[in-house]
């Protein structure tokens, strides 16, 4: 087992003392405690079993209120945060814009209940793109390609090994990968 980190980045001051890095073996990250590798039989049983919450989910008709985009998107003075659904947020801190996990379209078999007040094609002024992990509902190729083409992004901040997935999507935009407990290099921005 190897332990991976980005040697160029600092660790958070409260990193556990035993931490060596993200465990990596056999071309994939590993669970350090309680390794998990489900048997196909159990996975298929889970997929084809009835969902005990299905009727409750179908009965839930709650739809969040969508507030139209206002002129605050045109200014860099105030700090604000806009939730765009699931794990996608557009944040402005110290005059910098951060976009997290841009998945702003329907996914196969998982339609959005509500769309944001603007499309991903209209998002402007993004300074940093932050990706938490490489699941399909957090890393959408079409959104990432378009956002990188339409914005002068300083850097994509992502987990280790994600460059292998998104490298071709972001063009010349720099990518910085970090391990757990590492801090991205955003010196001079006032944001850590």
């Amino acid at each position: 087992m190897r332990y991976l980190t980005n040697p160029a980045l600092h660790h958070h001051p409260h990193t556990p003392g035993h931490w060596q890095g993200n465990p990596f073996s056999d071309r994939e990250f590993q669970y350090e405690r309680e390794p998990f590798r489900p048997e196909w039989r159990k996975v298929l049983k889970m997929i084809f079993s009835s969902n005990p919450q299905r009727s409750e989910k179908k009965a839930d008709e709650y739809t969040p209120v969508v507030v139209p985009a206002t002129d605050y998107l045109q200014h860099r003075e105030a700090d604000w945060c806009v939730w765009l659904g699931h794990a996608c947020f557009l944040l402005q801190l110290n005059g910098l814009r951060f976009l997290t996990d841009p998945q702003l379209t329907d996914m196969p078999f998982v339609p959005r209940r509500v769309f944001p007040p603007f499309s991903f094609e209209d998002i402007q002024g993004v300074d940093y793109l932050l990706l938490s992990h490489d699941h399909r509902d957090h890393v959408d190729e079409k959104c990432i390609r378009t956002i990188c083409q339409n914005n002068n992004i300083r850097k994509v901040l992502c987990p280790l090994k994600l460059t292998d997935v998104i490298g071709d999507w972001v063009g010349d935009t720099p990518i910085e990968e970090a391990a757990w407990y590492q801090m991205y290099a955003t010196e001079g921005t006032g944001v850590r």
Side-chain angles (χ1 to χ4, degrees), residues 17 20 51 63 87 100 104 114 132 139 181-182:
Q20 302 173 64
N51 182 339
T63 302
T100 67
L104 298 167
V114 174
S132 63
V139 177
Y181 302 111
Q182 288 195 294

Side-chain angles (χ1 to χ4, degrees), residues 68-89:
T70 60
D71 62 336
Y72 67 84
L73 292 172
Q74 307 304 318
H75 304 288
R76 295 274 181 160
E77 295 82 32
D79 291 348
W80 45 260
C81 177
V82 177
W83 178 56
L84 301 176
H86 192 46
C88 186
F89 290 86

Side-chain angles (χ1 to χ4, degrees), residues 125-128 147-155 173:
V126 175
D127 297 294
Y128 291 93
I147 289 163
C148 286
Q149 289 169 359
N150 293 348
N151 291 271
N152 188 18
I153 295 176
R154 295 181 186 197
K155 204 183 303 183
T173 305

Side-chain angles (χ1 to χ4, degrees), residues 13-30:
H14 299 294
T15 301
H18 69 282
W19 183 250
Q20 302 173 64
N22 295 19
F24 190 82
S25 179
D26 298 324
R27 296 183 3 214
E28 64 183 19
F29 290 102
Q30 305 291 318

Side-chain angles (χ1 to χ4, degrees), residues 93-144:
L93 302 167
N94 288 353
L96 296 170
R97 291 205 181 140
F98 296 80
L99 180 65
T100 67
D101 295 337
Q103 198 334 321
L104 298 167
T105 61
D106 280 330
M107 289 180 23
F109 309 109
V110 188
R112 288 183 72 99
R113 188 171 281 204
V114 174
F115 283 87
F118 42 81
S119 74
F120 65 92
E121 292 98 342
D122 297 329
I123 295 175
Q124 296 293 314
V126 175
D127 297 294
Y128 291 93
L129 182 58
L130 178 62
L131 305 174
S132 63
H133 63 288
D134 70 349
H135 288 173
R136 173 67 177 84
D137 58 336
H138 294 257
V139 177
D140 180 72
E141 180 177 358
K142 186 176 181 182
C143 289
I144 290 173

Side-chain angles (χ1 to χ4, degrees), residues 13-68:
H14 299 294
T15 301
H18 69 282
W19 183 250
Q20 302 173 64
N22 295 19
F24 190 82
S25 179
D26 298 324
R27 296 183 3 214
E28 64 183 19
F29 290 102
Q30 305 291 318
Y31 289 97
E32 197 169 42
R33 288 181 258 143
E34 301 178 30
F36 177 72
R37 178 76 60 192
E39 300 171 14
W40 277 108
R41 188 174 39 123
K42 288 182 179 180
V43 171
L44 292 173
K45 181 180 177 187
M46 180 193 73
I47 290 171
F48 292 109
S49 295
S50 64
N51 182 339
Q53 289 89 27
R54 173 173 274 169
S55 60
E56 183 180 340
K57 287 181 178 182
K58 283 188 177 259
D60 179 7
E61 295 181 9
Y62 171 74
T63 302
V65 176
V66 177
V67 178

